[in-house]
Amino acid sequence: MVEQVYKARSWRYFEEDEQEFDTQGEALGFLASSWAASDCSPISVVGPDGQVILSGDALQAEIMKYLEAN
Protein backbone atom coordinates (compact mmCIF):
# COMPACT_ATOMS: atom_id res chain seq x y z
CA MET A 1 0.00 0.00 0.00
CA VAL A 2 1.35 3.41 -0.98
CA GLU A 3 1.28 6.00 1.78
CA GLN A 4 -0.63 9.19 0.90
CA VAL A 5 1.76 12.00 1.79
CA TYR A 6 1.34 15.68 1.07
CA LYS A 7 4.41 17.89 1.18
CA ALA A 8 4.64 21.51 2.24
CA ARG A 9 7.62 23.17 0.58
CA SER A 10 9.03 26.47 1.79
CA TRP A 11 12.14 28.59 2.11
CA ARG A 12 13.48 28.63 5.66
CA TYR A 13 16.80 30.19 6.62
CA PHE A 14 17.91 30.48 2.96
CA GLU A 15 17.34 26.77 2.28
CA GLU A 16 14.44 24.93 0.70
CA ASP A 17 12.57 22.89 3.32
CA GLU A 18 9.99 20.13 2.94
CA GLN A 19 7.63 18.78 5.59
CA GLU A 20 5.30 15.77 5.14
CA PHE A 21 1.63 15.65 6.19
CA ASP A 22 -1.28 13.23 5.95
CA THR A 23 -3.64 15.73 4.29
CA GLN A 24 -3.53 18.73 1.99
CA GLY A 25 -5.24 20.78 4.70
CA GLU A 26 -2.52 19.99 7.24
CA ALA A 27 0.19 20.97 4.75
CA LEU A 28 -1.61 24.23 3.96
CA GLY A 29 -2.15 24.93 7.66
CA PHE A 30 1.54 24.45 8.38
CA LEU A 31 2.54 26.85 5.61
CA ALA A 32 -0.07 29.41 6.66
CA SER A 33 0.91 29.32 10.33
CA SER A 34 4.62 29.43 9.54
CA TRP A 35 4.17 32.32 7.10
CA ALA A 36 2.05 34.27 9.62
CA ALA A 37 4.80 33.80 12.22
CA SER A 38 7.40 35.04 9.68
CA ASP A 39 9.09 31.66 9.93
CA CYS A 40 9.09 30.74 6.22
CA SER A 41 8.25 31.75 2.67
CA PRO A 42 5.82 29.20 1.20
CA ILE A 43 6.70 27.62 -2.16
CA SER A 44 4.09 24.93 -2.78
CA VAL A 45 1.92 22.05 -1.63
CA VAL A 46 2.71 18.79 -3.43
CA GLY A 47 0.27 15.88 -3.65
CA PRO A 48 0.92 12.18 -3.13
CA ASP A 49 1.52 11.74 -6.86
CA GLY A 50 4.36 14.29 -6.80
CA GLN A 51 2.38 16.94 -8.68
CA VAL A 52 2.21 20.51 -7.38
CA ILE A 53 -1.32 21.20 -6.10
CA LEU A 54 -0.87 24.80 -4.97
CA SER A 55 1.80 27.38 -5.70
CA GLY A 56 2.22 31.07 -6.46
CA ASP A 57 -0.86 33.29 -6.28
CA ALA A 58 -3.20 30.31 -5.75
CA LEU A 59 -1.20 29.20 -2.71
CA GLN A 60 -1.12 32.73 -1.28
CA ALA A 61 -4.91 33.04 -1.73
CA GLU A 62 -5.48 29.73 0.09
CA ILE A 63 -3.14 30.81 2.90
CA MET A 64 -5.11 34.02 3.34
CA LYS A 65 -8.41 32.09 3.41
CA TYR A 66 -6.98 29.71 6.00
CA LEU A 67 -5.76 32.54 8.22
CA GLU A 68 -9.07 34.40 7.99
CA ALA A 69 -10.97 31.25 8.98
CA ASN A 70 -8.69 30.37 11.90
Side-chain angles (χ1 to χ4, degrees):
M1 184 174 159
V2 176
E3 185 177 352
Q4 297 290 311
V5 175
Y6 291 82
K7 297 177 182 178
R9 292 182 177 162
S10 62
W11 285 104
R12 299 180 80 187
Y13 308 110
F14 306 103
E15 292 185 18
E16 192 169 334
D17 186 49
E18 185 175 274
Q19 300 289 323
E20 295 184 348
F21 297 91
D22 293 332
T23 68
Q24 179 180 338
E26 290 174 343
L28 178 64
F30 169 79
L31 290 175
S33 298
S34 296
W35 179 77
S38 298
D39 192 36
C40 78
S41 295
I43 298 172
S44 63
V45 174
V46 178
D49 60 358
Q51 297 295 313
V52 173
I53 298 171
L54 291 169
S55 66
D57 290 341
L59 175 58
Q60 191 62 39
E62 289 299 315
I63 286 173
M64 296 310 291
K65 284 184 202 173
Y66 179 90
L67 292 173
E68 288 171 5
N70 292 297

